[in-house]
Amino acid sequence: MPQPESPGTPPSKEDLKHAMKAFRKRLKLTLLDEESSIAGGPMSSGKRSEIVAITPPNQFSQAVWDELVKQGRLKYMGHGTYELVEQ
């Protein structure tokens, strides 16, 4: 679990690593959930989800997400959502 940081202290590399892992996991689960409910029948081929941005896990501070945007690993899409930047 990430440690709360004092204001002005940049997040640790460990916090950033855990935050990215949690973000990827939430994105993957969100996509799987969306894709499983798009096409109704079990015989259909399904459809790819069009989700590109999600609300990040709330167990990390806003400073962590801001730092990941600054590093170019995430892109802020507005309304509290972020997109994973492919590298």
Side-chain angles (χ1 to χ4, degrees):
M1 195 68 164
Q3 298 294 324
E5 59 231 14
S6 59
T9 305
S12 70
K13 286 185 179 185
E14 196 68 22
D15 284 345
L16 297 175
K17 180 180 173 181
H18 289 302
M20 280 302 295
K21 185 175 180 178
F23 184 88
R24 284 189 185 102
K25 185 174 184 177
R26 177 171 285 184
L27 179 60
K28 179 181 176 181
L29 292 174
T30 302
L31 291 173
L32 286 172
D33 183 52
E34 178 70 14
E35 289 171 359
S36 70
S37 64
I38 288 176
M43 301 301 285
S44 68
S45 63
K47 181 182 172 188
R48 299 287 302 164
S49 174
E50 295 178 6
I51 293 175
V52 293
I54 61 168
T55 303
N58 61 3
Q59 68 260 35
F60 298 95
S61 70
Q62 184 61 45
V64 170
W65 306 116
D66 293 342
E67 180 64 26
L68 289 168
V69 169
K70 189 163 70 169
Q71 290 180 6
R73 297 173 74 189
L74 294 177
K75 181 178 178 184
Y76 182 69
M77 300 300 289
H79 303 289
T81 61
Y82 295 84
E83 178 182 357
L84 184 62
V85 175
E86 298 298 327
Q87 297 179 352

